[in-house]
Amino acid sequence: MKPQIEIRDFIRRVLSTNRFAVLATVSEAKPHTSFVAYTASSDSLQLIFATYRHTRKYANLKQNNQVSMLIENSKDRSTEITVLTATGKACEVDAADGEALLQTHLRQHPELNDFLLSPDCAVFRVDVEAYQLVQGIDDIRWWKTAE
């Protein structure tokens, strides 16, 4: 039990000290990656990001909601390079739920105000199913969030 608590705490620290990720989507067997600004929920079980509705990313998400998000721990250089990958399902949030998430995302990324308030902007929530934490070639650990 203790190792899972430690990995969760470390993952929360990585999520809170970094702001950007590479989002991987797929549609019709064609992978696509995008750089996104994210905001993590306090329990690390959800990641929020936004995109314009006219993008390949948006079309892919509508066809296939399985995603992966890679976060390189570039902010905390007190440890060796850490790469965190979140896998889960993304869904566009509706206006009622989306407003609170949008405001949280805006607080984390105030520089994206015009983009996030654009009528063509869609807010997505990723319900994280698992995290893979890589801290070296032989140091790979998983946290399945349902555990």
Side-chain angles (χ1 to χ4, degrees):
M1 181 77 78
K2 190 168 169 50
Q4 285 298 86
I5 292 169
E6 290 173 8
I7 192 173
R8 282 194 309 232
D9 291 342
F10 191 83
I11 287 169
R12 284 188 181 120
R13 192 166 65 244
V14 170
L15 291 172
S16 69
T17 57
N18 294 276
R19 301 176 58 218
F20 301 98
V22 176
L23 172 74
T25 61
V26 67
S27 178
E28 299 175 12
K30 294 178 184 168
H32 178 70
T33 57
S34 307
F35 192 66
V36 296
Y38 75 88
T39 300
S41 63
S42 61
D43 60 8
S44 306
L45 299 178
Q46 297 177 334
L47 300 173
I48 308 304
F49 69 91
T51 185
Y52 286 124
R53 288 185 175 87
H54 65 273
T55 61
R56 178 184 299 176
K57 178 183 350 162
Y58 183 85
N60 286 0
L61 290 163
K62 287 303 191 175
Q63 275 193 359
N64 181 344
N65 70 346
Q66 292 286 336
V67 299
S68 170
M69 293 178 76
L70 183 135
I71 301 151
E72 191 264 327
N73 191 25
S74 60
K75 295 284 184 189
D76 182 4
R77 292 296 184 198
S78 64
T79 62
E80 291 183 29
I81 297 296
T82 300
V83 177
L84 180 64
T85 301
T87 56
K89 294 180 180 162
C91 65
E92 184 175 0
V93 294
D94 61 25
D97 293 331
E99 186 58 32
L101 294 176
L102 176 66
Q103 292 306 316
T104 300
H105 200 43
L106 267 169
R107 281 191 298 279
Q108 180 75 16
H109 300 278
E111 73 282 5
L112 299 179
N113 185 69
D114 292 345
F115 161 65
L116 292 171
L117 296 179
S118 164
D120 192 39
C121 183
V123 176
F124 279 82
R125 180 189 74 235
V126 176
D127 294 318
V128 179
E129 296 167 350
Y131 284 101
Q132 179 191 43
L133 178 64
V134 179
Q135 292 184 283
I137 195 148
D138 293 322
D139 188 359
I140 301 167
R141 293 175 282 162
W142 288 87
W143 173 37
K144 294 185 179 173
T145 58
E147 293 178 348

